[in-house]
Amino acid sequence: MKSFLSIQDCTSGELKELLTLSRDLKALYKSGKRDTCLPGKVLAMLFEKTSLRTRVSFQVAMADLGGTAIYLKPEDIGIIGKREPAKDMARVFARYVDCIVARTFSHETILELDKWSHEPIINALSDWSHPCQAMADILTIREHCGDLTGLKLAYIGDGNNVARSLAFAGAKFNMQFVCASPTGYELEAETLAAANQILPDCASQTHDPVEAVTGAQVVYTDTWTSMGQEAEKTQRIADFKGFSVDETLMQKASKNAKIMHCLPAYRGYEISDGVMESKNSIVFDQAENRLHFQRALLKYLIVK
Ligand code: CP
Ligand code: NVA
């Protein structure tokens, strides 16, 4: 595996290896030991959009492993391809650094960087997908729920980048995935079909949040308005009425269903404050695991 662009592109074997490495490195670091396997290695981080978790966890992970990270913020690079073509940027960066993390609007930009870079490219979120998030989520679910096989994850909200990566991650790890969205905001049929091709009948879509959470061990949500969609915010708030993960909805899920959110969370919209702060909320373990997964991913891709 040269790069980490989407869950769909990875084999189940590769994803399992990454999960095991995340678990092992997490245990090592928790025990106070260090795996400084990347001395002298440099990571470039090209971000067209803002970030807290992804940016900081990649920088910390690189420092933990003995390497260095250079962060280029949205103001530094603007939209990739605007000042100079992505294919030129990719070839320049690949001559300076050992790995490139990119957060972009268009997923095509990630693919273009990968096509032209001889060094690994990591997708740190595009409008299409957020694979690092989904893998940290799988690590978190395994820690809290044990065996993943047959677990039901109900995703309530926008059929967006996060939902799409979760659908594929669910399929790769033998889980059931259901997405409940208002009309017009569903995951496209192609994604569900592709997930179902990986694992038959594992992914489905509904317009009914109660139906989705019934029998679910994990209830997941994300913002109704993703980065780049700010102009649609008022319309989206109106359209997503009835799709909040709140106390009333959680009464319909399995008794001890875990609550997940990739963050940032908008309390009072996609999630209530009470649910976010409840004892079954694992959102901060989830955020922490971004670091543990990304440490593993950097080691996996850079130590060839
Ligand atoms: N969940 C996530 O990717 O957060 P950031 O946008 O803060 O990186
Ligand atoms: N769907 C959100 C995820 C943020 C981590 C967005 O793309 O803005």
Side-chain angles (χ1 to χ4, degrees), residues 49 53-54 103 125-127 130 133 155 158 160-163 222-223 225-230 262-264 290:
K49 301 172 177 175
R53 281 145 290 273
T54 311
R103 170 169 283 198
L125 180 147
S126 69
D127 284 354
H130 198 1
Q133 179 70 54
Y155 175 94
D158 191 17
N160 63 12
N161 44 8
V162 170
D222 180 20
T223 182
T225 307
S226 285
M227 290 178 274
Q229 298 172 333
E230 290 77 7
C262 59
L263 305 180
R290 298 295 308 278

Side-chain angles (χ1 to χ4, degrees), residues 33-292:
K33 300 201 181 85
R34 294 288 175 264
D35 179 351
T36 47
C37 57
L38 300 181
K41 300 290 184 186
V42 181
L43 176 72
M45 300 168 57
L46 317 184
F47 278 50
E48 290 181 347
K49 301 172 177 175
T50 52
S51 170
L52 187 165
R53 281 145 290 273
T54 311
R55 179 229 168 140
V56 177
S57 53
F58 266 115
Q59 279 189 294
V60 171
M62 202 58 193
D64 280 348
L65 295 167
T68 311
I70 301 169
Y71 172 66
L72 291 110
K73 54 186 182 299
E75 300 89 290
D76 292 331
I77 56 158
I79 303 293
I80 296 171
K82 212 165 176 194
R83 181 165 178 249
E84 57 187 314
K87 64 180 180 181
D88 292 359
M89 288 178 80
R91 283 175 289 181
V92 172
F93 273 105
R95 288 173 185 230
Y96 295 155
V97 303
D98 303 283
C99 183
I100 300 162
V101 169
R103 170 169 283 198
T104 63
F105 286 96
S106 162
H107 190 68
E108 290 306 311
T109 307
I110 303 264
L111 300 180
E112 183 77 350
L113 290 171
D114 185 55
K115 184 173 167 192
W116 291 93
S117 167
H118 61 267
E119 296 293 357
I121 301 289
I122 295 174
N123 175 1
L125 180 147
S126 69
D127 284 354
W128 176 253
S129 60
H130 198 1
C132 294
Q133 179 70 54
M135 284 301 288
D137 297 341
I138 293 290
L139 177 64
T140 313
I141 295 168
R142 204 176 61 175
E143 288 172 350
H144 282 274
C145 303
D147 187 9
L148 298 169
T149 305
L151 281 184
K152 179 178 175 184
L153 186 153
Y155 175 94
I156 313 298
D158 191 17
N160 63 12
N161 44 8
V162 170
R164 203 169 286 112
S165 290
L166 284 171
F168 287 121
K172 295 278 185 180
F173 286 98
N174 297 311
M175 294 169 64
Q176 293 295 308
F177 171 87
V178 56
C179 181
S181 311
T183 303
Y185 296 96
E186 302 92 344
L187 270 180
E188 55 290 318
E190 293 80 358
T191 289
L192 296 173
N196 285 325
Q197 199 148 18
I198 297 166
L199 180 70
D201 300 325
C202 71
S204 59
Q205 177 82 48
T206 173
H207 295 122
D208 181 359
V210 173
E211 180 194 321
V213 302
T214 302
Q217 289 86 12
V218 179
V219 176
Y220 197 121
T221 189
D222 180 20
T223 182
W224 294 335
T225 307
S226 285
M227 290 178 274
Q229 298 172 333
E230 290 77 7
E232 301 168 22
K233 187 173 173 189
T234 306
Q235 184 63 51
R236 283 175 170 264
I237 289 172
D239 292 346
F240 280 85
K241 198 167 179 301
F243 284 79
S244 293
V245 175
D246 57 15
E247 288 78 350
T248 310
L249 183 65
M250 285 312 299
Q251 278 174 2
K252 309 287 182 190
S254 298
K255 192 161 168 278
N256 280 318
K258 303 298 178 199
I259 291 117
M260 299 184 77
H261 192 309
C262 59
L263 305 180
Y266 299 91
R267 289 169 167 84
Y269 294 98
E270 78 274 5
I271 193 164
S272 69
D273 183 60
V275 167
M276 179 88 180
E277 300 294 344
S278 66
K279 69 173 176 31
N280 287 329
S281 167
I282 55 173
V283 299
F284 296 105
D285 291 343
Q286 198 184 343
E288 178 184 335
N289 278 336
R290 298 295 308 278
L291 171 63
H292 302 302

